[in-house]
């Protein structure tokens, strides 16, 4: 079954520096599609695209510094796409835990990124939640300096979103074979 992201989602980014925490989030300009079959525990596709100028800190000066660092005039979008499903299990709670390998493209750099997410299906859709760490060094990037403080290498990324059943596909769709994980 195909599912498309609804406007009901949020992605949060938390970066740490000595004696300071920097927070940013995104609540608009993200498209995502998941093809998943909860009956056979098979995952066909995960694909998402975000307009990086939609990432915000709530402060205009910090936003400008963040967008300058991310070179948004050259790299307007970040994307993520599944390459392999490693685990797909149903939990006692009724939720599903899914671990995948993905390719994240950020600032024109593509790197593999393992992600685990939790999916909870309901009548006309599902909710997905995830949390993982991202590294500047893994992308060959130097952590930025903000407010005269150097941000640590690791950024915590958390997100959740509601998806509805859909026959639509993302604009940058590429086909992948289904990956079924024995239960």
């Amino acid at each position: 079954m195909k599912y498309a992201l609804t406007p009901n989602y949020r992605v949060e980014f938390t970066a740490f520096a000595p004696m300071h925490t920097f927070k940013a989030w995104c609540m608009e300009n993200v498209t995502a599609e998941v093809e998943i079959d909860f009956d056979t525990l098979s995952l066909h596709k995960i694909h998402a695209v975000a307009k990086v100028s939609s990432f915000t800190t709530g402060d205009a000066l910090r936003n400008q510094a963040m967008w300058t660092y991310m070179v948004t005039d050259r790299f307007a979008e970040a994307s993520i796409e599944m390459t392999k499903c490693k685990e797909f299990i149903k939990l006692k709670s009724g939720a599903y835990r899914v671990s995948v390998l993905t390719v994240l493209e950020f600032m024109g750099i593509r790197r593999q990124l393992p992600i685990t997410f939790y999916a909870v299906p309901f009548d006309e859709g599902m909710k997905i939640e995830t949390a993982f760490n991202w590294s500047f060094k893994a992308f060959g990037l130097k952590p930025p300096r903000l407010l005269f403080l150097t941000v640590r290498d690791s950024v915590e990324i958390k997100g959740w979103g509601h998806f509805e059943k859909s026959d639509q596909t993302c604009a940058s769709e590429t086909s992948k074979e289904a990956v079924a994980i024995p239960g």
Side-chain angles (χ1 to χ4, degrees):
M1 176 62 67
K2 291 182 184 180
Y3 295 86
L5 184 65
T6 70
N8 188 9
Y9 64 88
R10 182 178 175 98
V11 181
E12 299 174 351
F13 312 90
T14 305
F16 302 94
M19 299 171 41
H20 195 77
T21 300
F22 297 95
K23 293 187 179 262
W25 57 90
C26 181
M27 296 173 55
E28 61 184 17
N29 295 316
V30 174
T31 59
E33 181 182 50
V34 176
E35 289 184 38
I36 192 168
D37 187 328
F38 293 106
D39 294 329
T40 62
L41 300 180
S42 59
L43 182 61
H44 301 264
K45 176 183 184 175
I46 297 172
H47 184 258
V49 178
K51 185 175 177 183
V52 293
S53 62
S54 294
F55 300 175
T56 183
T57 65
D59 178 85
L61 291 176
R62 286 186 184 176
N63 286 349
Q64 192 56 52
M66 178 176 57
W67 298 334
T68 298
Y69 175 81
M70 293 190 295
V71 196
T72 56
D73 57 332
R74 278 188 57 208
F75 307 110
E77 295 180 337
S79 66
I80 194 163
E81 186 160 1
M82 180 190 76
T83 58
K84 182 178 183 180
C85 180
K86 296 190 68 134
E87 176 186 63
F88 192 145
I89 62 171
K90 185 172 185 175
L91 304 174
K92 290 179 183 178
S93 66
Y96 294 81
R97 183 177 66 219
V98 184
S99 297
V100 295
L101 291 178
T102 67
V103 172
L104 173 65
E105 183 171 347
F106 178 69
M107 293 178 59
I109 302 166
R110 294 172 51 88
R111 294 285 188 274
Q112 192 172 60
L113 181 67
I115 294 175
T116 296
F117 66 89
Y118 296 86
V120 178
F122 52 87
D123 289 340
E124 293 302 315
M126 69 174 165
K127 180 180 181 180
I128 288 181
E129 293 184 23
T130 190
F132 56 92
N133 289 326
W134 177 87
S135 165
F136 289 99
K137 289 179 186 174
F139 271 69
L141 301 170
K142 289 180 72 174
R145 289 182 52 86
L146 300 169
L147 300 176
F148 306 106
L149 302 170
T150 301
V151 173
R152 293 186 185 132
D153 180 53
S154 184
V155 176
E156 291 179 359
I157 300 174
K158 297 178 183 177
W160 59 266
H162 286 257
F163 288 74
E164 62 187 4
K165 292 179 181 176
S166 170
D167 290 329
Q168 302 299 313
T169 57
C170 290
S172 306
E173 178 179 346
T174 60
S175 64
K176 298 282 181 202
E177 290 185 28
V179 179
I181 304 297

